[in-house]
Amino acid sequence: MFLSRLSDIIEPLHRTEKKSRIFTHLNISYQKIEIAARIVDLMLVGLASVIGRSVCQHVWHNDFAAAGVCLGAGLMNGLLYIYAVNMRGLYRLPVLLVPLPYFSRLIAIFASTALLAIASVPLLRGNIESSLWPLGSTLLLQLIFLIISRWSFANVTRSILAAGNLDGRRVVSIGETGELMGLSADCLLQCFGCKEVSRVFLATKRGCRSDEMLADLDGAIAAATEQGAEEFLIVIRWCSQELLETVRSRLRASPLPVRLLPDHSMRTLLGQRSEFTNALLLPVTIQRLALTSFERALKRALDIVVSATAIIFFLPLFLVAAIAVKLDSTGPVIFRQRRSGFNAKEFVIYKFRTMTVLEDGPVVTQACRNDIRFTRIGRFLRRSSLDELPQLFNVLKGDMSLVGPRPHALAHDDEYRTHIADYSFRHHVKPGMTGWAQVNGLRGETASFEQMAERVKFDLWYINNWSQGLDLNIMLRTCFEVLRDRAY
């Protein structure tokens, strides 16, 4: 297992320091390195197949049938090989850095997939007698290319790492003092692909639920937000089940993934025995993102297309509303207020001003029906929900989404967070202009914690059941909801 060979990774880096100058201005993440390795292997397999096809045509009596079989079986072998290598974890950074101990596994995988490729010859309508020799030549050429590729990729990757230009996933490490002290920043980067941006030592002496312990965890969440961390990495003894449950429960306030790193005892026990590089010695995910990368991309694409189209379509209405607000009362046309967004990150929300006050401090009074603070045009804008239109720019910027839990003023967030369980879970997705709670009639003032708790239930259901179809459903229902006399 690669953790038992950490010296094999560190020592070659010193030998590549002189070569690393050419990579001084190159900055690349470890994920891209791993993806590039797959792409390079696929390209080389394809190149070997094309060369093998050419050899078939010119050497084996210009046999075009054999050339087609050679090309098809060669590409099939390449795809099977890349899939099998990926499943065994042999495209991970520690393996790419030191490939020599893994060449036997790579060759064994290649041999297995080559047998499948040879077995596929009859399916490709080839003449077995005339196809085996050219096919064998192509497979041998593929193997040579793949071995040379691994060796070259290792040299390039070590040079990038020695130059200090290899970035990992930005993590906040949380753990016990003894466990954290045994992990250096270099080890985290080279063995787990993690770049530590903050390290939090837990005060475990006073108990797992002590105020000091909880304060440490809250500080870790704040550090993750400030440093733009991508996940939390938990480094504690696996026998500390009560401590693990406390950490896991507290970190639910953050939407970031939480992964548990094998402790020192587990790494020592399995370091010499693990057959797969993607076995237990890799961090175990105990909290995942609410939406996958693909789902977030889909949601973001819809936000951009719809918000940009809506801004263009409603541009005349923007101008009319702005002029009306300006002529009706003194003050800015756009009301700005700080809100909490994804991962509790602050942003400024935009609305057409509808009141005579501009509250954005530790105390914010919610608007209620027949509120005397409404301006004349402001009352109409709120009743028609037209005051929300400037939030389309928040969506286009990426601070908000078209659909999601409605954001509240920071003063209200601080209050609800302490009284409503899982309230902070709402920050696991971007806030929205409309949401599941709103189309189910939960709009307007929340005069009691019970009303807000009911709204939170709908928000959590939306997060746990998100789909593109659900977003479209909510947007369609919102069009009818704004026509009802529920807003004020």
Side-chain angles (χ1 to χ4, degrees):
M1 178 60 193
F2 57 80
L3 284 176
S4 65
R5 301 188 182 97
L6 182 58
S7 60
D8 294 338
I9 298 176
I10 302 297
E11 291 175 3
L13 296 182
H14 298 296
R15 296 195 296 267
T16 59
E17 286 181 354
K18 295 181 180 179
K19 301 178 183 179
S20 64
R21 294 180 181 178
I22 61 174
F23 299 102
T24 302
H25 302 292
L26 179 64
N27 197 26
I28 187 170
S29 68
Y30 87 99
Q31 297 103 323
K32 292 179 181 178
I33 286 283
E34 294 177 353
I35 293 172
R38 297 175 177 89
I39 294 174
V40 169
D41 279 358
L42 184 59
M43 292 175 62
L44 289 176
V45 167
L47 178 62
S49 298
V50 171
I51 294 176
R53 177 180 182 275
S54 301
V55 170
C56 289
Q57 290 180 350
H58 295 287
V59 177
W60 274 274
H61 309 294
N62 206 24
D63 189 346
F64 289 95
V69 171
C70 176
L71 178 61
L75 289 175
M76 182 182 298
N77 175 66
L79 292 174
L80 288 173
Y81 168 80
I82 292 169
Y83 174 78
V85 170
N86 184 66
M87 292 299 294
R88 303 276 285 196
L90 296 174
Y91 279 119
R92 297 190 179 279
L93 180 64
V95 180
L96 296 176
L97 288 169
V98 187
L100 185 59
Y102 304 95
F103 273 138
S104 59
R105 296 188 197 178
L106 293 170
I107 293 173
I109 292 173
F110 185 87
S112 301
T113 57
L115 290 176
L116 291 176
I118 293 174
S120 69
V121 170
L123 299 178
L124 296 172
R125 299 179 182 179
N127 185 315
I128 297 180
E129 293 183 1
S130 64
S131 298
L132 286 180
W133 280 109
L135 176 58
S137 301
T138 300
L139 295 176
L140 179 60
L141 188 61
Q142 286 182 352
L143 179 60
I144 293 173
F145 278 13
L146 289 172
I147 291 176
I148 294 175
S149 169
R150 278 283 166 150
W151 178 79
S152 302
F153 217 90
N155 288 332
V156 172
T157 304
R158 285 200 295 264
S159 296
I160 295 173
L161 185 59
N165 293 322
L166 185 63
D167 285 337
R169 287 179 60 82
R170 298 172 63 84
V171 302
V172 172
S173 301
I174 306 172
E176 299 170 286
T177 302
E179 290 291 331
L180 276 177
M181 293 299 291
L183 284 173
S184 66
D186 287 340
C187 177
L188 286 173
L189 177 61
Q190 296 165 24
C191 296
F192 302 104
C194 297
K195 181 179 181 181
E196 193 176 56
V197 297
S198 182
R199 177 172 285 200
V200 178
F201 294 92
L202 296 176
T204 56
K205 294 182 179 180
R206 298 188 179 183
C208 296
R209 301 291 302 178
S210 66
D211 292 340
E212 189 174 356
M213 166 80 73
L214 299 180
D216 288 339
L217 294 173
D218 290 340
I221 295 174
T225 302
E226 294 172 2
Q227 299 294 330
E230 299 175 77
E231 67 179 52
F232 293 102
L233 199 63
I234 310 304
V235 190
I236 63 176
R237 291 169 296 166
W238 280 21
C239 61
S240 305
Q241 296 183 4
E242 184 180 358
L243 175 59
L244 174 60
E245 187 56 37
T246 300
V247 173
R248 180 182 182 182
S249 175
R250 200 68 172 185
L251 292 183
R252 279 177 59 84
S254 171
L256 298 182
V258 179
R259 296 199 294 168
L260 175 65
L261 194 69
D263 60 14
H264 181 267
S265 298
M266 188 65 69
R267 295 196 300 271
T268 302
L269 177 65
L270 296 180
Q272 301 288 343
R273 300 178 180 272
S274 181
E275 182 178 351
F276 301 92
T277 58
N278 56 349
L280 284 176
L281 287 185
L282 290 177
V284 179
T285 299
I286 60 178
Q287 175 177 298
R288 60 179 288 272
L289 284 169
L291 304 181
T292 65
S293 299
F294 180 70
E295 290 171 338
R296 293 198 306 273
L298 281 179
K299 190 172 176 64
R300 181 60 183 151
L302 181 66
D303 287 341
I304 293 174
V305 172
V306 175
S307 62
T309 304
I311 289 172
I312 295 173
F313 181 79
F314 288 117
L315 187 57
L317 194 56
F318 274 98
L319 297 176
V320 172
I323 293 172
V325 171
K326 192 64 178 178
L327 294 178
D328 182 54
S329 60
T330 58
V333 171
I334 299 297
F335 169 66
R336 295 174 173 84
Q337 190 179 67
R338 291 172 299 151
R339 301 287 175 95
S340 288
F342 177 74
N343 195 20
K345 186 177 181 180
E346 288 186 16
F347 72 97
V348 177
I349 196 172
Y350 305 133
K351 292 185 177 185
F352 283 121
R353 182 175 57 84
T354 60
M355 291 186 172
T356 56
V357 297
L358 300 170
E359 294 179 337
D360 186 22
V363 178
V364 176
T365 304
Q366 289 192 47
C368 59
R369 193 176 295 274
N370 300 319
D371 199 312
I372 61 172
R373 297 173 298 169
F374 290 152
T375 63
R376 288 174 297 175
I377 192 65
R379 190 179 303 276
F380 168 76
L381 291 175
R382 294 183 71 93
R383 289 283 295 273
S384 60
S385 296
L386 293 177
D387 64 316
E388 310 282 356
L389 283 181
Q391 290 170 41
L392 289 169
F393 290 98
N394 286 117
V395 175
L396 195 59
K397 287 174 57 180
D399 294 330
M400 295 177 62
S401 179
L402 292 168
V403 181
R406 285 291 296 163
H408 302 127
L410 297 184
H412 298 156
D413 268 346
D414 293 338
E415 185 179 12
Y416 294 138
R417 185 182 296 113
T418 58
H419 292 87
I420 301 176
D422 287 335
Y423 176 83
S424 297
F425 199 83
R426 301 168 76 254
H427 299 308
H428 283 215
V429 296
K430 289 182 181 180
M433 291 184 64
T434 184
W436 184 239
Q438 284 64 46
V439 298
N440 281 281
L442 299 176
R443 302 178 66 192
E445 181 186 15
T446 51
S448 66
F449 289 122
E450 289 75 16
Q451 289 177 306
M452 178 54 70
E454 185 68 17
R455 183 178 293 185
V456 169
K457 288 181 182 179
F458 280 89
D459 291 335
L460 297 185
W461 185 92
Y462 167 79
I463 294 172
N464 293 323
N465 295 274
W466 178 88
S467 70
Q468 196 80 53
L470 180 60
D471 273 2
L472 294 174
N473 184 353
I474 292 173
M475 285 189 281
L476 181 61
R477 291 178 59 178
T478 298
C479 296
F480 295 98
E481 187 68 24
V482 296
L483 300 177
R484 301 182 182 181
D485 188 22
R486 289 181 177 175
Y488 49 85

